[in-house]
Amino acid sequence: MHFKPKQFLRNIPLHLMILPALVLVIIFSYIPMAGLIIAFQDFSPIAGFKQMNWSGLENFHYLFDIPGFKQVVWNTVFISVMKIIAGLTVPVIAALLLNEVRVGGFKRTIQTVIYMPHFFSWVILAGIIVDVLSPSSGLVNMVLKAFGMQPIQFLAENSWFPYVLVITDQWKEFGFGTIIYLAALTSIDTSLYEAAVIDGAGRWKQTWHITLPGIRPIMILMLTLSLGNVLNGGFDQVFNLYNPLVYESGDILDTMIYRIGMQDAQYSVSTALGLIKSVVSFVFIGLGYYLAYRFAKYRIF
Amino acid sequence: MHHMTTAYRWFQRLNYVFLTVLALLCLFPIVNILAISFSSSEAVEAGRVTLWPVEFTLSSYRYMLDNNLFLGSFATSGLRVVLGVTVNLIFTVLVAYPLSKEAVTFRSRTVYAWIFVFTMLFSGGLIPGYLVVKEAGLLDSIWALVLPGAVPIFNVLLMLNFFRGLPKELEEAAWMDGAGHLRTLWSVYLPVSLPSIATVTLFSLVGHWNAWFDGMIYMRSPEHYPLATYLQSMLQRANVSNDMVTLEQAALLSQISDRTTQASQIFLSIVPILAIYPFLQRYFVHGLVVGSVKG
Amino acid sequence: MWNKRTTLPLWAAVLSLSLVFTGCSGGNNAGNNAGNGSKESAENTAAANAAATSTPSDAPADPLGKYDPPIKLRSTMNETGKETLAEGDTHANNVWTRGYKDELGIEVTYDWIVADANYRDKMNVTMASGDLPDLLKVDMVQFEQLHEAGMLEDLTEAFDKYASDLVKSFYAEEDGAGLKPVTKGGKLYAIASFPGSLDSSDMIWIRKDWLNKLGLAEPKSMQDIIKIAEDFTFKDPDGNGKQDTYGIMMNKDLPINAFLLGYHAYLETWIKNDAGEIVNGTIQPEVKEGLAELQRLYKEGVLDPEFGVKDFAKGVEAVNAGKAGIMFLPQWAPFQVMGMIKQDQSVNWVPYPVQSIDDQPAKTQNHLGLGGIYAVRKGYEHPEALVKLLNFQAEKMFGESADAERAKYNTGLTGLGFQNAVVSNLPANKNVKAQEEVEAAINSGDTSKMGLEAKLFYDDIMDYRSGNLDKWNMERIFGPLSSQGIIKYYRDNDLIVMNEFIYAPTKTMNSKSATLDKLRQETFIKIIYGSLPVDAFDKFVEDWKKLGGDQITQEVNEVVKANQ
């Protein structure tokens, strides 16, 4: 730890560049974080923050004591882990496939079209999904029936419901997720490909040895950040698609807390849950950061 | 350009077919919304509309075009996007550049990075956030929609990774020429980062266009709502359930929750964002970056 | 095509301003309640007298007296769309706000205006920020919080002195039940919008044209209802040669009350048992019988086979597509099927009272529905202004000036401009009374004795009868054969079971209801789907009691006793 005056002087502008953002973040993010104390209080909006009714860990106990809490945590983790995996692979594959398209117009059209569903809210998409998956009149089951299979109640069977969530989530988001990788692809040095062609490498080898390593930093970044979502199942989607028949497999932390909040605005309990989720995200992202640094010698941020 | 093997040619054909099918699946919602917006309410209520208008009518669009709230919210959203995206971009670049430096040369970078990332994970929640915005005197101002999210951390992380991918020679050359940090950023980094700038621009644009909750909480009246907040309140209004009691509620809902009108507004609200995409797409050109540098 | 369910912010439980009590009041136990009412009003009068003697006597209170100079009043607004406004008006400046200023000398301004669906969130952050408006429009939970924090003005005297006879008559309905939940220790801390409980009555809507087509008689018993539902499923009532219809429309929220009432089961209702204790209807053995029958019907295909994944809107969509012939909806059901009537005039939805499986008459289960709760911030100098604003709205819509001015105030495309009044209250149970007048006028041809609103409904019905299909709903709500007619039948034949619990949710309700609701929804829907045996109901009852149900029952009994 040697102090290097020259480097210090040279870095002053760097500090100054960060300063304005730092101030904004302190005002609009760190100061409100003081509000997290209500997780340890019996908070009522009217008493506000002036009057503190400390309740210790009561809100956390309340959460853990909810019957079926474990099941809900498991559902959340199961759904979100599958979503994380899908969210990492599907957009990358789509980007690679698009990268192989040589007709510019076709490529741009496909790109624009697959990006569209991102702009529809789950309220709207859920209505469409219920129709498409209907056992009697839905498109998917008509195809199944055409192949002589029994129709499936995708949204009413616990063995299917989580997968429906993952697939429809990708349907909505993969096109948007692809953008990031398409941008990353542009930064790969084209001369590498030219050299590979001269060496006689086929497209497959080029993809494996040049393209994928080229977008690896972004993939690791996305993976690490998405690890933070391990306790988010996707409220809007689940809320609009689930029903009591699939509570067993589809009820997640956020929908559970929502139903509790409907009864009474439970700020303290929902803040307690939020805090738990934040801590878990923090741990996972920290872990991802550490592993990437330890094994790949790469600081993701 | 490339020598094509037979297998690769087959792969290409399959690829085109596969991507076309994917695209058709993704096209479904918008075609559905469009069909509903041009159909009669009765046909929609009976679930008879899927991909093609039934009992074609333009009435939902006619009704909407004299809806000042809807048109006004377009203007608010436009302003929000212009201000919000500009502010976001400035902070993204200003923060990402220093953080893209190696820890060896800029020791504090890692601390800064974690300070920013921490805000992605922990949030004080609705009420404290509101209180801060209120104390800052921003209620009912467009800045309430811009400043609290002025530093888009995700974009910063993305950008700093893109910056790191740039060849080291670039920076060294700039230093040789006697350029300082700001000049290096402005005239060396930015010109070769167009694809990544296009990406983060798109992300903040979409974020601002879709955000609705802050508009509802921070604005004093519907006249100041951005489009997403307006749409949200319109969709939520239509919430009928068995628990509803009064006849007047039922009467009101039946008159204001016309699904063809909702569909036309949803459609019009995503047109601008779809139209902007192709412009940004132009920057996603393979090899633009390094090619131009080396050339 | 999409459902009308809302997308919701995570931490924000968005409720409409109007809330519905799943509790109950005792309309049926008239003696009991009358006792309460008179005792309470005696207390009120006593309090008012005490107040009157302690304050120096001033000029006699004028319910619509004008403030001079004008006073200012800050409030908030839950907007319901521009369709309720006249051309050029805004939510902040419209016929109502101008009327308040010109006639009452009250300048009403809004701290904020927000869509009805987001009102609760916005009110919560406003309450937390400490900057309360003068006139608070809140829900029951917020009311309790404000009251406990001592932030509310006592309105007992203001109401007694200033409420017009008209407004007082509205609140006298159902033995004053509308003000009970907001009366604390004999003092009135708010005024609730009180539409009465009769409109919450359950009924059974049946496609009469299908009955006729299949040569079926009108139902006289639950057995008939079941037979009709089966025939609607198997005998091709739409005559298209395919078995593509089903008897009963259902959705994932399980609106099965009207069905269970046939078994004298009162779902989610606090009822008195023979021992005089209050118990929850959900766990009574009668529910099990009803569920067993529903399970059988689902298996047969009589219920919509996919109802478990459909929300309210999707269920109604199936009805509008002509797939179902029976639905369980309240009095406003005709609004939901207007489209199909306009498309096919042979369609004929007719309401029937709930039917019984045995020789005991089936009764409807009603609850007290309160709309917004209006209170005044402690320290505001003119608490009576709230009462005057209510007087004003009542006068313009139902008083002497209504003839001339109602149309002006009820402006906008919808004719429902009263939504923009800062506070509003509709006379409790007005609809059934209007129906009586309408029916009498239709029978006698004499329209001179009708009230203003009844006359409007009458005109609508005549309009429908001369060919305007847009008014069909009025015929089925207020005509001789209508939902309000069914309600009148319940009322006149003493066929109403009231929810005994009309107060704010108890402590354990707040913490456990979500769990109990989940348990009930999951168990019931699985029983109906056949993935659980009917006997799973017994396990459910056990769990329900263990997981907080017993505790809640005890609290409910205490609260009701304390308020007697």
Side-chain angles (χ1 to χ4, degrees), chain A residues 59-215:
Chain A
N59 296 314
F60 295 89
H61 285 300
Y62 171 78
L63 271 175
F64 297 141
D65 290 345
I66 291 173
F69 182 73
K70 273 187 210 145
Q71 179 71 47
V72 171
V73 172
W74 167 247
N75 293 345
T76 313
V77 171
F78 183 68
I79 292 168
S80 57
V81 165
M82 286 202 306
K83 280 187 178 174
I84 289 170
I85 295 170
L88 201 70
T89 47
V90 178
V92 170
I93 293 170
L96 293 178
L97 290 180
L98 273 171
N99 197 38
E100 297 303 315
V101 172
R102 295 278 160 265
V103 185
F106 181 78
K107 185 175 173 179
R108 274 194 297 276
T109 311
I110 298 284
Q111 249 173 277
T112 312
V113 170
I114 61 176
Y115 141 106
M116 282 181 185
H118 175 77
F119 294 95
F120 290 90
S121 63
W122 276 111
V123 192
I124 313 271
L125 294 180
I128 294 173
I129 290 166
V130 169
D131 285 347
V132 170
L133 295 181
S134 158
S136 60
S137 56
L139 196 67
V140 175
N141 275 300
M142 279 188 200
V143 174
L144 291 185
K145 279 185 263 186
F147 284 99
M149 285 185 266
Q150 283 296 310
I152 297 169
Q153 296 221 27
F154 290 102
L155 293 168
E157 279 177 27
N158 285 301
S159 52
W160 280 100
F161 188 70
Y163 303 99
V164 171
L165 290 179
V166 175
I167 292 167
T168 54
D169 181 57
Q170 278 310 307
W171 174 51
K172 183 178 191 293
E173 300 297 349
F174 88 93
F176 198 71
T178 304
I179 291 172
I180 230 171
Y181 299 106
L182 289 174
L185 284 172
T186 61
S187 62
I188 296 172
D189 190 344
T190 35
S191 59
L192 294 175
Y193 290 108
E194 284 149 23
V197 171
I198 292 164
D199 291 349
R203 292 299 296 178
W204 175 245
K205 273 202 166 148
Q206 291 173 32
T207 304
W208 191 250
H209 292 292
I210 302 170
T211 316
L212 274 178
I215 60 173

Side-chain angles (χ1 to χ4, degrees), chain B residues 3-243:
Chain B
H3 62 279
M4 290 211 191
T5 60
T6 326
Y8 186 66
R9 249 182 239 120
W10 271 106
F11 163 78
Q12 280 286 29
R13 275 172 213 152
L14 273 177
N15 192 21
Y16 279 72
V17 173
F18 180 71
L19 289 174
T20 309
V21 171
L22 266 190
L24 288 179
L25 284 176
C26 293
L27 215 48
F28 193 84
I30 198 160
V31 174
N32 177 242
I33 290 289
L34 208 53
I36 288 176
S37 73
F38 287 116
S39 298
S40 76
S41 303
E42 289 80 16
V44 175
E45 272 163 32
R48 288 194 281 128
V49 183
T50 17
L51 294 176
W52 199 249
V54 177
E55 292 156 19
F56 184 89
T57 165
L58 286 172
S59 65
S60 71
Y61 287 88
R62 239 178 261 132
Y63 163 87
M64 199 180 43
L65 286 177
D66 61 33
N67 185 341
N68 294 329
L69 275 185
F70 179 66
L71 300 177
S73 68
F74 251 102
T76 308
S77 268
L79 180 62
R80 174 186 185 155
V81 162
V82 170
L83 287 177
V85 171
T86 312
V87 169
N88 279 168
L89 269 186
I90 292 172
F91 283 114
T92 304
V93 170
L94 276 185
V95 177
Y97 174 79
L99 294 189
S100 71
K101 300 292 167 213
E102 292 296 327
V104 193
T105 52
F106 186 38
R107 200 175 287 283
S108 333
R109 70 157 301 282
T110 311
V111 179
Y112 280 128
W114 276 102
I115 288 179
F116 285 114
V117 169
F118 198 74
T119 65
M120 252 177 123
L121 306 174
F122 290 83
S123 138
L126 175 63
I127 291 176
Y130 176 82
L131 291 177
V132 168
V133 170
K134 179 170 175 271
E135 290 307 313
L138 296 178
L139 285 186
D140 215 28
S141 143
I142 190 89
W143 294 104
L145 309 180
V146 172
L147 289 183
V151 190
I153 312 298
F154 177 74
N155 288 356
V156 169
L157 300 184
L158 211 56
M159 201 69 201
L160 86 85
N161 272 284
F162 281 124
F163 279 162
R164 273 184 189 161
L166 296 177
K168 288 281 160 289
E169 307 91 65
L170 274 179
E171 197 192 349
E172 283 156 17
W175 280 104
M176 299 288 243
D177 292 351
H181 282 296
L182 261 181
R183 247 198 68 202
T184 310
L185 172 60
W186 181 256
S187 42
V188 179
Y189 272 49
L190 291 190
V192 295
S193 302
L194 289 182
S196 43
I197 288 175
T199 311
V200 294
T201 303
L202 183 71
F203 287 166
S204 37
L205 208 144
V206 168
H208 277 290
W209 191 259
N210 282 349
W212 68 273
F213 195 70
D214 53 355
M216 190 272 290
I217 287 293
Y218 298 138
M219 293 291 127
R220 282 224 169 94
S221 76
E223 284 84 25
H224 297 167
Y225 279 177
L227 187 60
T229 312
Y230 169 83
L231 281 179
Q232 191 66 26
S233 67
M234 181 196 69
L235 285 174
Q236 292 202 343
R237 216 189 267 154
N239 199 8
V240 186
S241 79
N242 274 70
D243 297 336

Side-chain angles (χ1 to χ4, degrees), chain C residues 203-222:
Chain C
M203 55 191 76
I204 301 175
W205 293 84
I206 301 181
R207 283 274 300 259
K208 184 76 188 340
D209 53 320
W210 283 9
L211 281 185
N212 294 346
K213 195 163 200 171
L214 300 179
L216 294 165
E218 303 199 325
K220 295 272 183 293
S221 67
M222 197 65 203

Side-chain angles (χ1 to χ4, degrees), chain C residues 249-271:
Chain C
M249 178 270 261
M250 192 50 59
N251 66 50
K252 64 182 175 186
D253 301 326
L254 280 186
I256 52 176
N257 291 4
F259 189 90
L260 292 182
L261 287 168
Y263 298 81
H264 318 295
Y266 305 96
L267 208 57
E268 293 296 282
T269 298
W270 294 97
I271 51 174

Side-chain angles (χ1 to χ4, degrees), chain A residues 197-232:
Chain A
V197 171
I198 292 164
D199 291 349
R203 292 299 296 178
W204 175 245
K205 273 202 166 148
Q206 291 173 32
T207 304
W208 191 250
H209 292 292
I210 302 170
T211 316
L212 274 178
I215 60 173
R216 195 169 55 194
I218 294 294
M219 283 176 71
I220 294 177
L221 174 72
M222 296 302 285
L223 172 65
T224 308
L225 292 182
S226 63
L227 282 179
N229 280 328
V230 74
L231 288 184
N232 286 329

